[in-house]
Amino acid sequence: MSRGLSEVVGVVIIMGVVIALAFIFYVVAGINFSKASASVSISQVETLFENIATDLNTALVNPAPASVLSYPVFMTNYGTYGVIPSFCSLSINGAVIYSSGSVVFGIPPSYGSMPSGYINVLLGNSNLVVVNESSSLFNVVLYGAVNASGTYYGEFLALYPRVAVFTLDNGQYELLVPLFITKFKSSLSNLLVFNVTYPYSINYNYYSPGTYVINYTCGVGNELLSSGVVINGKIEILPIYIYVYYG
């Protein structure tokens, strides 16, 4: 092989290597960019969910809590909004009395993943039953990898309500139970609407005082938070239905 031809072949090989390395760099940079963008999306939606939780909590503590709150959602190609219809359940003496949905935002495993079973409470408390105290009645929690309602997330944020128990006079107790009832509306693209209804009273064995084990559990798969309290007396339940409309 002549010297000139050898030099040409060498240049071609070097150019091929450079192009291959450039392509690899491009792919890696794209993956890193997507992961960084997904992380930013999680942070932005966390702020949105925390603002919604604060507004809902304010609506519930008002003398007349009925109100309608709407929020434009931050749209991104690196995550999706959704709902999980039966994310929480309230049971009394082992029998499920109410269930509540949750609003979620999750990213696929290719963009970010926390270990399955990971739970990080960002707003609210891991104790889901608030007893005789003023505290947020809504949680914003970051969870790890899970298959939720047919969608597989590498990690996801969830916004959902907690339960409050208040001690009254003469062995009487009041349970304040906010409930998310999720409803799809195609006309509400890029919008979340929360219709907070006025609570109504339900006497749960109110005239038959006894011992009642109250348990509230939220989560999916092995990512569960659960809290309970034992009541000796009479129970009045105040369910507050919050209709969550999404598109």
Side-chain angles (χ1 to χ4, degrees):
M1 182 180 294
S2 66
R3 180 178 177 183
L5 183 58
S6 298
E7 290 178 350
V8 171
V9 172
V11 171
V12 171
I13 292 174
I14 293 174
M15 289 181 63
V17 171
V18 170
I19 292 173
L21 290 175
F23 178 76
I24 293 172
F25 176 79
Y26 174 79
V27 172
V28 171
I31 292 173
N32 289 337
F33 176 79
S34 297
K35 289 183 177 180
S37 298
S39 178
V40 170
S41 299
I42 283 284
S43 297
Q44 291 176 319
V45 177
E46 175 190 340
T47 300
L48 171 64
F49 280 7
E50 289 177 349
N51 290 338
I52 294 174
T54 300
D55 292 344
L56 288 174
N57 196 69
T58 300
L60 262 61
V61 299
N62 285 335
S67 59
V68 177
L69 307 172
S70 62
Y71 302 87
V73 297
F74 168 76
M75 299 307 296
T76 172
N77 293 326
Y78 303 100
T80 56
Y81 293 88
V83 299
I84 301 178
S86 298
F87 194 80
C88 301
S89 64
L90 174 69
S91 65
I92 299 180
N93 288 351
V96 175
I97 306 301
Y98 295 104
S99 64
S100 172
S102 172
V103 180
V104 301
F105 174 84
I107 60 177
S110 57
Y111 290 159
S113 184
M114 300 297 292
S116 178
Y118 176 84
I119 299 175
N120 182 13
V121 180
L122 304 174
L123 178 71
N125 201 295
S126 58
N127 184 1
L128 300 180
V129 180
V130 181
V131 180
N132 294 327
E133 63 180 72
S134 177
S135 181
S136 174
L137 287 176
F138 297 89
N139 265 7
V140 177
V141 182
L142 177 64
Y143 292 91
V146 73
N147 187 340
S149 296
T151 302
Y152 193 79
Y153 299 113
E155 57 187 87
F156 73 102
L157 288 167
L159 165 66
Y160 56 87
R162 300 163 71 202
V163 171
V165 179
F166 298 99
T167 304
L168 307 178
D169 296 330
N170 302 320
Q172 300 177 20
Y173 295 87
E174 183 178 86
L175 270 65
L176 186 63
V177 185
L179 301 164
F180 279 175
I181 309 299
T182 58
K183 294 181 176 291
F184 178 80
K185 280 194 172 183
S186 58
S187 60
L188 295 177
S189 179
N190 304 341
L191 194 67
L192 281 172
V193 178
F194 296 81
N195 182 7
V196 184
T197 64
Y198 195 80
Y200 61 93
S201 174
I202 296 177
N203 294 329
Y204 183 88
N205 290 345
Y206 192 73
Y207 299 104
S208 303
T211 299
Y212 302 101
V213 179
I214 312 297
N215 189 266
Y216 192 59
T217 300
C218 294
V220 291
N222 66 336
E223 297 172 339
L224 297 173
L225 290 174
S226 184
S227 301
V229 63
V230 178
I231 289 176
N232 291 293
K234 297 179 285 188
I235 300 175
E236 178 186 21
I237 302 178
L238 293 177
I240 301 178
Y241 291 97
I242 302 173
Y243 293 93
V244 183
Y245 299 100
Y246 65 101

